[in-house]
Amino acid sequence: MMTDLASTTPQSLGRDPMVGLRLARVDGFEPAIALGQDELPAYLRRFTMLFADDATMRRGGIGRVTRAVNAQGEAVALKQLILPTRDEFDDDAAHESLVAKFKAAFREEYECHRALSGLKGFPRLYGWGEVDGVPAIVMEWVEGETLAACARDSPWTMPDAYRRLWRRAWGATCSTCSAA
């Protein structure tokens, strides 16, 4: 489903949708789905040049998620890895090792999401690349509240919120798999 930025953003952001956006060029983009040679150029144009709205940035695991829009006006989520900072006591080798572990974990997150992307209840995944040398995932933008906001506004504790979310996601996955 495409979300038209012009029709949704002014109400949700309370301002002109194109003011203050950062150009995010997704280099080395790898589509999450198999495409024919004739489909690839249009797909790359669709997801390699994005305009990110840093005012919408939220933390998500080891990454930060930002609402972005492509040249066609489609809203997407741009999730970028938060690289670990170099501690003054770290040597270069220790820091590089830590960065490599973060990158591997982020890639594993992408591969897991890729395996689940077609299932009901999981955001559509568009691809993987780098923005300014930092690993990035491009996926469907889903409007709604963050898990932290839901937990804050409800009588549940954070573990309860995660448990309920997991049950809902697992139930959707199981029902989809059993229907196949």
Side-chain angles (χ1 to χ4, degrees):
M1 179 176 128
M2 287 190 210
T3 303
D4 179 18
L5 181 70
S7 65
T8 60
T9 303
Q11 298 89 350
S12 62
L13 298 179
R15 62 177 168 79
D16 184 336
M18 298 307 282
V19 173
L21 300 182
R22 169 179 53 92
L23 178 62
R25 189 179 310 263
V26 185
D27 297 317
F29 187 77
E30 302 170 19
I33 57 172
L35 296 168
Q37 284 301 106
D38 56 328
E39 300 170 301
L40 186 59
Y43 198 82
L44 293 176
R45 280 192 304 276
R46 187 175 168 201
F47 297 114
T48 58
M49 180 92 52
L50 302 173
F51 301 94
D53 182 2
D54 290 335
T56 64
M57 188 182 304
R58 299 291 182 268
R59 177 116 189 204
I62 59 172
R64 62 178 180 266
V65 180
T66 305
R67 187 175 200 269
V69 63
N70 64 17
Q72 290 82 19
E74 296 173 276
V76 298
L78 177 64
K79 184 170 186 176
Q80 292 180 265
L81 174 64
I82 299 173
L83 292 171
T85 56
R86 188 177 186 286
D87 187 4
E88 63 181 281
F89 300 107
D90 286 344
D91 60 24
D92 289 339
H95 182 254
E96 288 305 314
S97 174
L98 185 60
V99 167
K101 288 177 185 177
F102 269 64
K103 287 182 176 183
F106 197 65
R107 182 64 189 217
E108 181 67 20
E109 176 182 329
Y110 169 76
E111 294 299 337
C112 289
H113 188 165
R114 189 173 173 186
L116 298 170
S117 181
L119 301 176
K120 181 180 177 185
F122 291 91
R124 183 175 296 125
L125 189 63
Y126 299 121
W128 167 274
E130 290 189 351
V131 175
D132 298 327
V134 177
I137 299 170
V138 180
M139 66 183 97
E140 177 182 15
W141 176 260
V142 178
E143 288 290 339
E145 292 188 74
T146 64
L147 183 58
C150 289
R152 185 178 54 245
D153 297 339
S154 77
W156 305 342
T157 64
M158 196 59 142
D160 289 337
Y162 282 123
R163 202 170 9 263
R164 287 176 187 232
L165 178 65
W166 174 251
R167 279 191 204 124
R168 286 175 52 195
W170 184 249
T173 303
C174 290
S175 64
T176 302
C177 291
S178 64

